[in-house]
Amino acid sequence: MPTNVTAEYLAAEEEYRNAKTIPEKIRALEKMYATVPKHKGTEKLRLQIKRKLAELRKELEKQRQMKKGGGGPSMAVRKEGAAQIVLAGLPNVGKSSLMKALTNVDIDVADYAFTTVEPIPGMMHHRDVQIQLVEVPGLVEGAALGKGMGPQLLSVIRNADAIAIVVDLSQDPVKQMETLLKEFERAGIKLNKRRPRVEIKRTAMGGIVINGQENIKGDISEVMKMLREERIHSAEITVKEPVTLEEFADALDESLVWRRAIIIANKGDAPGSKENYKKLVEAYGDRFKIIPVSAKRKIQLDKLKDELYELAGIIRVFTKSPGEEPAYPPVPLKKGSTVMDLAERIHKDFAKNFRYARVWGKSVKFPGQRVGADHVLEDGDIVEIHAR
């Protein structure tokens, strides 16, 4: 153990040794990870704590599944529309008011906590497409460790395409964010980050082959140890960008999900909201886009709809037949989609018999440009597919 750890770290380590339950061990390890000095000499220690945390979270989920015969009643919400975005936050921050204002869904709105007791979906129509919003009941501290219906609610959040975090500007928004981010981290939800570009292809034999090994910033023996712990004994691994040992561990952890997120700062008309908004921007403005609104007075809701549309990560593509006007409504696709993705969405025969396409819009140099199946489309493009 490094000799320069803090007193706080040693206290957390003692707490871990005395912990009896998995949640107690997780809380102690989180304190250890937060208080261990961050420098090259503690790199292995930080990695060990992180790996142990991942192991305990998986064990806790396994226990929950066995104890409740599948983790309790399912709260899964079937995805509809172009994308699914959850509204998540602490109790009584105004999520129901926002849902009602954005989707017109019939929902109880009251000025007390836990008005919503199960996820409520609604459709937001914006820019010619339908985006599904899902209000998740208020999360509380300890949700990811089993408190209340926390695990089921976090499962709904994990399954969504993106997350809109709702905070209340009449209260301390930084403290709210600290609570929420801790629960997201415990649930294996990584916000506004992307999975490290490490490709792992298991093989029947041949042992471990690492391409791009020079991109691993750390002791390669630790990498081999991680692979053994994950029972990966034969695989071709390609490291496509510089990664730390902790980032390599994240790439290995299949329980993690990576989601885009914004912050909706609600109750922007409340006393003290301007000061609280400034604190929020200072603390999280570099990591999240923050949209101040008032659901009650319907302030900034059009701006919020634009931001939710961007958060959904979709584009609208119009199709047309030769000699005809573009069809309506447009086809929603994920950003980065190609002409072949569009063809497959329309009909399998278009994809099977594809010859070429003509495109009008931002993605081409001139109107009606002839393109191939791998041409990447942009928002508002008009596409005419020619098949055999």
Side-chain angles (χ1 to χ4, degrees):
M1 176 184 296
T3 56
N4 60 345
V5 293
T6 63
E8 289 84 359
Y9 175 87
L10 293 172
E13 188 179 50
E14 180 67 18
E15 186 180 326
Y16 175 72
R17 279 197 292 265
N18 294 330
K20 300 287 193 297
T21 67
I22 292 178
E24 287 174 352
K25 290 178 180 179
I26 288 174
R27 289 191 183 96
L29 283 170
E30 286 173 342
K31 291 177 187 176
M32 289 168 64
Y33 186 80
T35 55
V36 68
K38 192 172 183 179
H39 54 72
K40 194 162 183 65
T42 61
E43 187 178 37
K44 289 184 182 180
L45 177 60
R46 289 173 63 84
L47 179 64
Q48 288 168 5
I49 296 170
K50 191 166 188 174
R51 295 285 291 165
K52 186 62 180 176
L53 272 168
E55 182 185 318
L56 285 172
R57 287 165 183 157
K58 289 175 187 175
E59 194 176 329
L60 183 65
E61 180 59 25
K62 193 181 294 182
Q63 282 187 8
R64 192 178 291 124
Q65 294 287 337
M66 291 174 65
K67 185 178 178 181
K68 297 188 177 181
S74 173
M75 289 190 173
V77 179
R78 185 167 65 89
K79 289 185 178 182
E80 295 180 354
Q84 184 187 82
I85 300 174
V86 295
L87 302 183
L90 300 182
N92 204 30
V93 294
K95 297 186 298 296
S96 296
S97 297
L98 279 168
M99 272 292 288
K100 193 163 190 174
L102 294 169
T103 68
N104 293 320
V105 69
D106 187 16
I107 187 172
D108 289 333
V109 177
D111 206 15
Y112 52 84
F114 303 108
T115 309
T116 303
V117 294
E118 62 182 16
I120 297 176
M123 300 302 289
M124 181 184 80
H125 184 77
H126 192 60
R127 297 190 192 175
D128 302 317
V129 298
Q130 299 273 11
I131 296 173
Q132 185 186 47
L133 303 183
V134 179
E135 181 197 350
V136 175
L139 295 170
V140 295
E141 190 168 356
L145 301 180
K147 192 169 182 180
M149 299 296 287
Q152 288 89 338
L153 301 180
L154 285 161
S155 178
V156 174
I157 295 170
R158 281 174 58 93
N159 189 55
D161 298 309
I163 302 167
I165 304 171
V166 184
V167 298
D168 177 355
L169 286 180
S170 71
Q171 308 292 328
D172 183 349
V174 174
K175 190 174 181 181
Q176 294 170 56
M177 284 297 298
E178 287 171 354
T179 299
L180 291 166
L181 292 179
K182 181 184 286 187
E183 298 309 316
F184 290 147
E185 184 69 24
R186 284 171 170 170
I189 303 169
K190 298 284 188 179
L191 301 180
N192 291 346
K193 297 178 182 178
R194 60 170 177 78
R195 186 181 293 277
R197 296 179 63 211
V198 177
E199 189 178 275
I200 301 167
K201 291 182 179 177
R202 293 180 186 254
T203 55
M205 58 185 70
I208 299 295
V209 177
I210 302 179
N211 304 313
Q213 185 172 313
E214 68 278 3
N215 282 327
I216 300 174
K217 308 303 178 185
D219 190 344
I220 199 67
S221 67
E222 289 295 324
V223 170
M224 302 305 288
K225 182 181 176 183
M226 280 188 266
L227 293 169
R228 287 195 299 272
E229 289 173 352
E230 293 292 333
R231 295 184 174 84
I232 299 174
H233 303 293
S234 186
E236 182 178 357
I237 298 168
T238 305
V239 185
K240 298 182 177 181
E241 65 181 357
V243 294
T244 63
L245 291 176
E246 289 188 54
E247 288 168 339
F248 190 91
D250 283 344
L252 277 181
D253 191 346
E254 294 179 355
S255 71
L256 299 179
V257 296
W258 310 75
R259 297 290 180 262
R260 298 181 303 279
I262 62 172
I263 298 173
I264 303 175
N266 194 25
K267 305 186 185 180
D269 56 327
S273 61
K274 287 185 180 179
E275 292 77 10
N276 282 332
Y277 175 70
K278 286 180 183 176
K279 291 178 186 175
L280 184 64
V281 171
E282 286 173 9
Y284 295 104
D286 291 341
R287 184 176 170 189
F288 296 94
K289 186 172 284 189
I290 304 171
I291 304 93
V293 303
S294 170
K296 188 176 182 180
R297 295 194 180 182
K298 294 183 167 51
I299 298 172
Q300 283 261 88
L301 293 188
D302 286 339
K303 165 74 171 172
L304 177 56
K305 287 182 178 182
D306 287 338
E307 295 296 346
L308 289 169
Y309 177 87
E310 290 300 318
L311 180 65
I314 55 177
I315 59 173
R316 302 158 301 162
V317 177
F318 296 84
T319 59
K320 71 180 289 292
S321 299
E324 296 183 7
E325 291 295 310
Y328 183 88
V331 179
L333 296 169
K334 288 183 179 179
K335 280 184 179 177
S337 292
T338 63
V339 169
M340 181 52 69
D341 293 325
L342 174 64
E344 289 172 345
R345 175 71 72 85
I346 298 169
H347 198 282
K348 61 182 180 182
D349 287 343
F350 274 109
K352 183 180 178 182
N353 301 314
F354 180 86
R355 288 172 58 211
Y356 66 91
R358 293 196 182 278
V359 177
W360 292 256
K362 297 175 187 175
S363 71
V364 290
K365 295 178 180 177
F366 56 87
Q369 182 178 330
R370 181 167 168 163
V371 300
D374 60 351
H375 177 78
V376 178
L377 298 167
E378 291 192 28
D379 188 53
D381 278 357
I382 299 169
V383 182
E384 182 180 279
I385 294 176
H386 292 255
R388 295 183 184 84

